[in-house]
Amino acid sequence: MVAGEDLAMETVFRPVVSGDYSLVDADLLTGKTHQIRYHLQSLGFPILGDKKYGEGGRGQWLHNYQVVFHTQGDLAYLDGLEVLSPIPEKLDRIARDYLGRDYRKFLRG
């Protein structure tokens, strides 16, 4: 958890594939701009290719392949809704190069 200047952010990370590079599953308990990028950088694990919070590159290699809503109140109708987004071909090639060809077997959803 990171807090300061009236800004509290909380993210739970679960390593999915680890090695020289890692694939992580992130559960956002709050929803702040740049939250995943900021938290990973502050822990010493910047997103590969992230210009702002990492070592630079051509844009961060971050993909939201699954969203599950846990809501109450006015948005209770969304509770449990799961949305999946296929991994783009370019990102899939990059992930296979850095994580191994079988990285997909570790994904939830």
Side-chain angles (χ1 to χ4, degrees):
M1 181 171 180
V2 176
E5 296 184 29
D6 297 324
L7 178 68
M9 297 185 289
E10 192 169 0
T11 310
V12 176
F13 292 103
R14 179 179 65 89
V16 177
V17 178
S18 295
D20 290 338
Y21 296 90
S22 299
L23 175 67
V24 298
D25 184 74
D27 289 325
L28 284 77
L29 304 181
T30 54
K32 304 294 183 183
T33 303
H34 304 273
Q35 180 171 328
I36 294 172
R37 297 166 65 196
Y38 180 82
H39 272 166
L40 285 172
Q41 179 269 336
S42 70
L43 294 169
F45 303 103
I47 295 172
L48 193 60
D50 192 336
K51 294 177 188 177
K52 183 170 183 169
Y53 295 99
E55 296 177 9
R58 295 185 181 178
Q60 73 269 11
W61 295 340
L62 175 66
H63 177 70
N64 188 2
Y65 76 93
Q66 178 188 41
V67 175
V68 179
F69 290 91
H70 302 285
T71 60
Q72 303 175 39
D74 292 344
L75 299 175
Y77 66 95
L78 293 174
D79 192 47
L81 176 66
E82 181 177 324
V83 179
L84 297 175
S85 176
I87 297 171
E89 185 179 324
K90 180 179 178 181
L91 186 56
D92 182 58
R93 280 194 314 271
I94 292 165
R96 285 186 278 130
D97 287 347
Y98 283 91
L99 302 170
R101 293 203 157 290
D102 63 346
Y103 82 95
R104 284 176 167 259
K105 72 181 182 182
F106 299 102
L107 300 178
R108 291 192 287 174

